[in-house]
Amino acid sequence: MPLGMVILGRQGSGKGTQAVKIAESLGVIHISTGDMLRAAFAEGTELGLEAKSIMDAGDLVPDTVINGIVEERLLKDDVKQGGFLLDGFPRTVGQAEALLSYAENDLCLALNLDVSIDEVMTRMLARGRDDDTAEAITRRLELYETETAPLLSWFTERGILKVVDGNGTETEVFGRLMEVIEEILGK
Ligand code: ADP
């Protein structure tokens, strides 16, 4: 059975960086919805152009749109064989429900990379991506609290949430994440 995992955490928590390292180490496919949307914009597709203004404002792309993109990706052979680590999805309860309908049997772990609001603010302002303006950051963090934070109890109820302290160096955090993953896989 392929291994299915998701990584949650506030914007700027370092989940993208860690997701790449985890996926490499386990040989699963890293699926970042933010990267997919940015790639769509770079290619100039209709989806990419529509998503760009939403992303720049720090808003969420509608569930119907993003769910479709993720479902299509999960159906590809590489994911079916190698398993997946989703990064940036799900971000709403509607997305989480959609994910369960696509991959319930494979989903075994939801990692929450925990970093305080003050710390992620500082990190994002230093990062300087197109959508890292003070306004868009504030909006993303607001949406995180209202839309995404409820997923923590949602995954807890399903018995698959593990919280990992995201403060410290990249290596320290990676070590903590791998420890949790290995514990789950060893079961
Ligand atoms: P960050 O975690 O810093 O917000 P991401 O690369 O994950 O960075 O996402 C950037 C933007 O892409 C989001 O602000 C949002 O507009 C859009 N996006 C990414 N994933 C989703 C999703 N699952 N649902 C809705 N919008 C999304």
Side-chain angles (χ1 to χ4, degrees):
M1 196 172 79
L3 180 63
M5 298 180 299
V6 307
I7 185 161
L8 308 165
R10 288 198 175 90
Q11 294 79 0
S13 61
K15 67 182 157 51
T17 309
Q18 297 294 343
V20 170
K21 293 172 72 136
I22 296 168
E24 208 166 85
S25 164
L26 298 178
V28 300
I29 310 290
H30 173 220
I31 305 176
S32 157
T33 44
D35 285 353
M36 288 168 87
L37 293 172
R38 281 185 288 275
F41 175 71
E43 284 162 21
T45 66
E46 198 179 323
L47 163 75
L49 296 171
E50 269 176 35
K52 172 73 173 162
S53 55
I54 297 177
M55 293 169 81
D56 282 349
D59 282 325
L60 291 174
V61 172
D63 280 1
T64 44
V65 174
I66 202 84
N67 289 348
I69 296 173
V70 171
E71 181 179 20
E72 195 179 308
R73 186 69 191 87
L74 291 176
L75 288 171
K76 298 239 164 86
D77 281 347
D78 59 343
V79 175
K80 289 216 158 275
Q81 280 155 23
F84 63 85
L85 172 58
L86 274 165
D87 158 17
F89 183 98
R91 255 174 157 94
T92 66
V93 170
Q95 294 178 14
E97 279 164 357
L99 175 61
L100 267 203
S101 74
Y102 309 147
E104 178 160 20
N105 295 334
D106 304 335
L107 195 61
C108 66
L109 176 61
L111 291 159
N112 180 40
L113 198 51
D114 196 25
V115 178
S116 74
I117 295 195
D118 286 350
E119 174 64 19
V120 297
M121 246 339 205
T122 312
R123 290 189 193 175
M124 276 191 278
L125 286 169
R127 182 171 76 171
R129 217 168 60 192
D130 266 10
D131 59 345
D132 284 342
T133 59
E135 293 76 21
I137 290 173
T138 305
R139 179 71 184 138
R140 300 218 295 286
L141 290 175
E142 235 172 62
L143 284 172
Y144 181 82
E145 300 307 322
T146 57
E147 303 295 323
T148 310
L151 289 181
L152 301 181
S153 40
W154 195 90
F155 279 114
T156 303
E157 280 160 26
R158 278 153 191 83
I160 59 169
L161 186 83
K162 292 281 175 192
V163 180
V164 174
D165 178 5
N167 295 290
T169 66
E170 217 175 281
T171 312
E172 279 164 359
V173 175
F174 181 63
R176 283 181 210 136
L177 286 163
M178 288 308 292
E179 209 174 294
V180 169
I181 293 169
E182 277 156 15
E183 200 185 301
I184 297 288
L185 295 183
K187 268 187 194 166

